[in-house]
């Protein structure tokens, strides 16, 4: 063994049984071993007994990278064309969970590769076609797969993956086959990439759900007003109040907040599941409030009850979209609730609210309306869940895995 002055070592191993045993010994310790015969044209300086191992030097951020990805629920699998013992040793040094679960894929059939893809973390002696088979097997198991690579031999797997990531120092072909290129070839940015993607998708889901509530109950109310002899419950300035405190202002702050919750389910189904129950509840509450006009209650008071019920349901929907609560989201929901109560009690005039003219019996009727609206929202949510269960599933967002 000949040290070269740093952690990297260069070695040549002579052929024969002794050389092979030495190569296997060094491979088990994470060295990348090259075997030369004495007949190789190396100037005659190499003999059978001369050997030094090539040893990979891992980046300083290796443990941080694995830890952060694992913390975000991303399963890391290592796919390589090298000896599985070498790859397993390197994976252990990098802190990869289950690094000891290494598979020699050199002699496995495509069917056997698909069987071991889910239960193992390290794969050695993998051909370019084998990498593609492993990626497709993990996708078939319901995972969202991101493949990282830098060479031509990685292209089949990069094209098969949901997200292809290549290095800036990689080949032109690998970069062209990828959706994401790490220009500085620094893998430590991957946790930030995952966190940013989750922030965008989670926040868009919340904001879209809030906006869809108003669109849906406006549509439902238009149909109901055509079917029943009742007046439309809201004035434009009142809709401005409801929309500002339950949609506009919360959406602005929610869109800026970091959100690293794991993405689950389909975007469209999640938005509908959150929005439709709230819209149905607002429609029922508004129509029930306006029905009091048929009993002699002034239209202004009926409209006030409809605005109060729509605002309360809208704030409740906002709270549901902010789950799980943290200090930021809890403060946002509480602030919008206090603002709505304060305007309804202290500044009713600019919004044509007759809050102080509502009688005790009418307040009780409002509470009854809200209870019925809550029951309708729960029933709607249950029906949507049943419907979504019978529709074809979209598992691509349920779990995440990355292969490199």
């Amino acid at each position: 063994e000949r040290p070269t002055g740093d952690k990297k070592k260069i070695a040549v191993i002579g052929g024969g049984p002794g050389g092979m045993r030495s190569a296997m010994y060094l491979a088990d310790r994470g060295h990348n071993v090259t075997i030369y015969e004495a007949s190789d044209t190396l100037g005659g300086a190499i003999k059978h007994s001369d050997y030094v191992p090539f040893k990979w030097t891992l980046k300083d951020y290796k443990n941080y990278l694995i830890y952060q990805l694992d913390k975000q629920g991303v399963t890391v699998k290592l796919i390589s064309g090298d000896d599985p013992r070498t790859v397993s040793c390197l994976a252990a040094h990098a802190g990869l969970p289950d690094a000891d679960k290494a598979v020699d894929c050199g002699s496995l059939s495509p069917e056997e590769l698909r069987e071991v893809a889910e239960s193992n973390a390290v794969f050695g002696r993998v051909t370019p076609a084998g990498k593609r088979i492993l990626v497709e097997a993990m996708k078939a198991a319901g995972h969202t797969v991101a493949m990282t690579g830098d060479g031509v031999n990685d292209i089949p797997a990069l094209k098969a993956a949901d997200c292809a990531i290549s290095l800036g120092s990689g080949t032109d072909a690998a970069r062209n086959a990828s959706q994401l290129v790490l220009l500085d070839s620094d893998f430590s940015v991957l946790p930030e990439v995952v966190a940013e993607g989750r922030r965008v998708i989670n926040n868009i889901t919340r904001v879209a759900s809030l906006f869809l509530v108003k669109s849906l109950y406006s549509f439902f109310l238009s149909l109901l007003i055509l079917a029943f002899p009742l007046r439309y419950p809201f004035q434009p300035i009142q809709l401005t109040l409801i929309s500002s405190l339950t949609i506009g202002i919360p959406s602005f702050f929610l869109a800026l907040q970091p959100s690293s919750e794991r993405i689950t389910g389909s975007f469209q189904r999640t938005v509908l599941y959150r929005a439709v129950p709230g819209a149905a509840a607002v429609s029922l509450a508004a129509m029930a409030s306006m029905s009091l006009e048929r009993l002699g209650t002034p239209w202004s008071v009926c409209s006030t009850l409809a605005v109060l019920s729509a605002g309360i349901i809208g704030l409740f929907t906002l709270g549901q979209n902010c789950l799980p609560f943290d200090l930021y989201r809890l403060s946002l929901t509480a602030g919008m609730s206090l603002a709505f109560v304060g305007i309804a009690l202290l500044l009713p005039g600019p919004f044509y609210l007759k809050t102080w003219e509502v009688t005790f019996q009418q307040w009780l009727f409002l509470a009854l309306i809200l209870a019925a609206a809550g029951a309708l929202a729960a029933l709607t949510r249950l029906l949507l869940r049943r419907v979504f269960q019978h529709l074809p599933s979209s598992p691509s967002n349920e779990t995440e895995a990355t292969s490199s």
Side-chain angles (χ1 to χ4, degrees), residues 3-48:
T4 60
D6 58 9
K7 293 183 179 180
K8 292 183 178 180
K9 299 179 180 180
I10 301 177
V12 179
I13 300 182
M20 291 301 298
R21 284 194 297 271
S22 300
M24 295 174 64
Y25 174 83
L26 294 169
D28 286 337
R29 282 151 182 80
H31 300 283
N32 192 6
V33 182
T34 303
I35 300 178
Y36 292 96
E37 297 291 345
S39 60
D40 287 341
T41 57
L42 298 175
I46 304 301
K47 297 183 175 64
H48 288 287

Side-chain angles (χ1 to χ4, degrees), residues 185-261:
S185 302
D186 185 1
F187 279 109
S188 64
V189 302
L190 286 181
E192 298 178 16
V193 172
V194 174
E196 182 66 14
R198 290 181 175 180
R199 184 186 73 84
V200 171
I201 295 177
N202 286 328
N203 290 344
I204 287 179
T205 302
R206 293 189 179 96
V207 171
S209 301
L210 295 177
F211 276 94
L212 189 59
V213 169
K214 180 186 175 183
S215 300
L216 287 176
Y217 75 65
S218 298
F219 174 71
F220 294 157
L221 283 175
S222 299
L223 295 180
L224 291 172
I225 293 299
L226 291 175
F228 296 95
L230 298 174
R231 298 169 64 182
Y232 195 75
F234 305 120
Q235 298 189 46
I237 190 64
Q238 295 171 338
L239 287 175
T240 299
L241 171 65
I242 298 171
S243 301
S244 298
L245 296 182
T246 64
I247 301 173
I249 298 175
S251 297
F252 174 78
F253 288 101
L254 286 176
L256 300 177
Q257 191 207 13
S259 179
S260 59
E261 291 89 0

